[in-house]
Amino acid sequence: MLPGCNSNIAPGNDREAQIDAAPTPAPVMGAAEALSGIAIEAVQPETMTDADIAALGGLEGRCAIRLTEVSEPSFLYRPRGSGAIKLNGKLIELSAAGGRRFVDGGLNVQLRPVEGEGNAGLPEHEMIVMLPGAQDELGFRGYRQCIGTAEEGE
């Protein structure tokens, strides 16, 4: 009889291994609630997880602002429709205010095209975030990618 014959240490045979639970999406709430009681000066846009994107309805028919060409989105929007950003671990949906501007509860996000494109051919974009009660706006330069929208070719 071989000692330890019931202990198979080959990859994939670990009986004690734990599989991480599927990620849960961040809660969706209004800007006033999501940013209540925090130091506004420390808030920065966060990248969305696949669970966050699914909770918002997916990428189809939307444009994403990515801070790098390979990162997950930091802002999603529907052309001539609403947008969403992740701040303080919360997903905040914003209403369209015209001219690629989105608002909710004193939070404003303005998108602007910039001359140039990345190595993967994505057009460069600026995302200006104006937090409620903050003295300064936050500016970010990234890339726009649209999936199944009229803005794809812009």
Side-chain angles (χ1 to χ4, degrees), residues 35 43-45 65-67 74-77 83-87 94-95 97-104 106-114 124-132 134-143:
L35 301 173
V43 175
Q44 298 285 318
I65 301 298
R66 302 171 186 273
L67 299 183
S74 291
F75 188 80
L76 288 177
Y77 71 97
I85 191 168
K86 187 174 181 180
L87 298 171
L94 300 108
S95 300
R100 288 194 187 153
R101 190 169 146 261
F102 304 87
V103 298
D104 181 67
L107 172 65
N108 287 276
V109 176
Q110 175 73 53
L111 305 178
R112 298 181 195 148
V114 177
E124 290 188 26
H125 248 64
E126 282 183 336
M127 178 173 66
I128 309 299
V129 179
M130 293 152 279
L131 298 164
Q135 292 182 336
D136 298 317
E137 59 187 28
L138 304 172
F140 302 90
R141 187 171 277 199
Y143 304 90

Side-chain angles (χ1 to χ4, degrees), residues 79-95:
R80 294 165 291 288
S82 63
I85 191 168
K86 187 174 181 180
L87 298 171
N88 191 33
K90 317 287 189 306
L91 294 169
I92 302 169
E93 293 185 304
L94 300 108
S95 300

